[in-house]
Structure formats: C-alpha cells, structure tokens
Amino acid sequence: MHSLRKQSWLVALLLASTGMYAQQSLTAEQFIAKMREAAGIVPGPNTVDTIKAGDPQTIVTGVATTITPTMDVLRKAVAAHDNLVITHEPTFYNHLDQDTLVKNDPVYQEKLKYIQDHKLVVFRWHDGAHMHQPDFIMEGWKQKAGWTSAQRNPREPMLYTTTPTTVRALADALRAKTGAKVVRVIGDPNLKVTKIAYAPGAPGPAPQIAALERDDVEVLIGGEIPEWETIAYAWDAQQQGRHKALILMGHYTSEEPGMDNFANWLRKTMPGMRVDFIPAGEPYWLAR
C-alpha cells in the first residue's frame, strides 16, 4: 500500500511538473478566463469575444487557434484532439454569430452538429486579440512579412519603410511569404515605393483612405474592401498620376499570421497545454 501511494504521488508530481495535471483540470471557461487575465484583457459589455458553440464546462484537452473555423479546420482540430477552438473571425457567417438568417439552413445545421457531436468548444478571440499590446494580429503580420526592423514609429504600428522596390515586386514578395493565391493590386505595377501602411481585415474606407491620403504613405497593404469604396479611390488616384497604390491580400490572408503569433504566445503563457495553429488558408481559386 505504501508503495502504491508513493507511485501515485510520483505520477501526480510528474503531471504537475509537465503541466498535464493543470491541462486535465481546466474547463474551457476557466482556460479562457486565465488567458484573458494573462493578456491583460477585460472584455467590454458588447464584445464579440464569447463562446459561440459548445459547453463551457468541457475539460480542455488541447487548443487550436485559427483565423476562421472552417469545416476543414474543425476536422483537423478533432484529429489533433484539440477540443477548444479559438478563432479570430466568426463561426456562423456574420459578425455577431447570430443564427437569424441561417437557423434552418443545412450548411449551418451540419456545422453546428459537427461541433456538438465532437464536443468542441468554439471561442472567438477578436476584440482581445486587437486590444492586446502589442496587437497579436499586427505583430503576426510584421513577423510573416519580415518587417520587424522596418517600423517607423512604435506609436503608429501600421507604418513601415522598406528598401526601394516596385509595387509589383512588393506584391509578389508578400504573395510568396503568405502563400496567397489571390492578391489584387490597384496602381502602377512599376511605381517605386519605400513607404508602406498596413491595415488588415476590413476596417472600412475611412481608415484606409486616411492612410492613403498621407504624404508618408505610398502603398497600403490591406485585407478587403467593397469595390466602390477604397478601391475606387485608389483607382482614381492612379488615373490622376498620384504616387499611390493599394495591395489587397484578402481578409483571412491579411490577419491569419496573427493567430499563429497568438498560438506561440499561448504556448508560453499556458505551459503544458498543447496548442496547435491550424491555418484556414483562403477560399479562392483563379479561373484561367
């Protein structure tokens, strides 16, 4: 009996030292609370950072971070035994993840059923990811693009300086680094540039146009925008012969490196918990 108690004590000590004991005892709700506390994030009353599907009391066996929880991402999470999926973008096709338009839709129902059948918990980490200092998404892109030493002003994390290059060469370099299949460019491909601004995702025309208006911005790297907004502005600027260009990487491509960066932070912050970054990629293919 004494030997058995000693062995049990040794096993418990080993689990505690590796973090596995903590891993087995954290619910999704507890894990998210600890994560927020470590990041210094206090969610506001209208935050979209909530659990979108699953039981908050589920014991976390592994964590998957992703830009968006596509069906393929969910399947990969299940295969990796990651039952807490932390996504930057919505799960159910609108910013608030409301089911008003899709409640009786078979695509929505199959996705929700898959989450429920595999006892997954899906949590959105959007507001907190951007509120963190430094911004998880901005930092992830900076590392992916290789701009870590090119930031002009710490107070303006969107502004960078590069060695002289052309708009075409810059777009090609970003496509190669991100693996993007579709990169849209407005402006003279041979325009020489050194001053870059980065505005990921879909911030809207106001900040995008405000960036392009600046004398110290020659090319804006963005995610997406309706064609009749910033795209039309950049098109007119090109036709007026102005020293401006716009490179659109796509919403997911422009922010996905941030969730890889967040996964690295999470591994250091929650030692012993398996954390996998699962890229979603982009949905497009080019017709030829």
Side-chain angles (χ1 to χ4, degrees), residues 67 88-90 95 124 126 130 137-138 184 198-209 220-227 229-230 246-256 284:
I67 187 66
H88 186 63
E89 298 301 354
H95 186 55
R124 189 172 181 195
H126 178 272
H130 287 300
I137 305 302
M138 300 289 280
R184 297 190 295 166
Y198 163 65
Q208 289 177 332
I209 291 175
L220 173 65
I221 312 297
E224 62 167 316
I225 193 72
E227 292 188 349
E229 295 182 341
T230 311
L246 174 65
I247 299 175
L248 293 176
M249 303 296 300
H251 194 122
Y252 296 144
T253 302
S254 74
E255 294 196 300
E256 186 163 68
Y284 314 108

Side-chain angles (χ1 to χ4, degrees), residues 62-264:
V63 179
T65 75
T66 188
I67 187 66
T68 183
T70 65
M71 288 302 305
D72 278 352
V73 167
L74 294 176
R75 293 181 185 117
K76 289 175 181 177
V78 169
H81 304 289
D82 297 333
N83 63 350
L84 175 58
V85 178
I86 301 179
T87 175
H88 186 63
E89 298 301 354
T91 304
F92 298 120
Y93 322 123
N94 63 85
H95 186 55
L96 299 179
D97 283 289
Q98 295 172 330
D99 65 2
T100 309
L101 295 177
V102 296
K103 192 167 188 176
N104 298 316
D105 181 89
V107 174
Y108 164 78
Q109 290 176 342
E110 182 174 334
K111 188 173 191 178
L112 181 60
K113 185 176 186 300
Y114 186 88
I115 293 170
Q116 293 171 338
D117 286 351
H118 292 86
K119 296 180 172 53
L120 300 177
V121 179
V122 181
F123 172 74
R124 189 172 181 195
W125 181 238
H126 178 272
D127 300 347
H130 287 300
M131 288 168 61
H132 182 262
Q133 295 299 319
D135 184 311
F136 283 119
I137 305 302
M138 300 289 280
E139 285 296 297
W141 174 267
K142 188 165 69 171
Q143 294 163 16
K144 190 76 171 181
W147 293 353
T148 50
S149 61
Q151 191 170 333
R152 272 184 257 164
N153 188 336
R155 292 186 298 248
E156 293 184 291
M158 66 180 292
L159 299 178
Y160 299 87
T161 301
T162 182
T163 54
T165 186
T166 65
V167 171
R168 184 193 299 277
L170 178 59
D172 286 345
L174 291 175
R175 181 173 58 184
K177 288 177 179 178
T178 61
K181 293 177 288 185
V182 178
V183 176
R184 297 190 295 166
V185 184
I186 298 94
D188 180 357
N190 298 313
L191 187 70
K192 294 286 182 65
V193 295
T194 61
K195 301 168 186 175
I196 303 172
Y198 163 65
Q208 289 177 332
I209 291 175
L212 281 169
E213 285 178 336
R214 296 177 61 136
D215 292 336
D216 59 351
V217 173
E218 297 165 325
V219 56
L220 173 65
I221 312 297
E224 62 167 316
I225 193 72
E227 292 188 349
W228 44 271
E229 295 182 341
T230 311
I231 289 176
Y233 175 90
W235 203 5
D236 277 345
Q238 175 195 6
Q239 293 176 1
Q240 290 173 4
R242 298 182 184 276
H243 204 87
K244 301 290 179 180
L246 174 65
I247 299 175
L248 293 176
M249 303 296 300
H251 194 122
Y252 296 144
T253 302
S254 74
E255 294 196 300
E256 186 163 68
M259 292 307 284
D260 189 7
N261 175 48
F262 171 64
N264 290 330

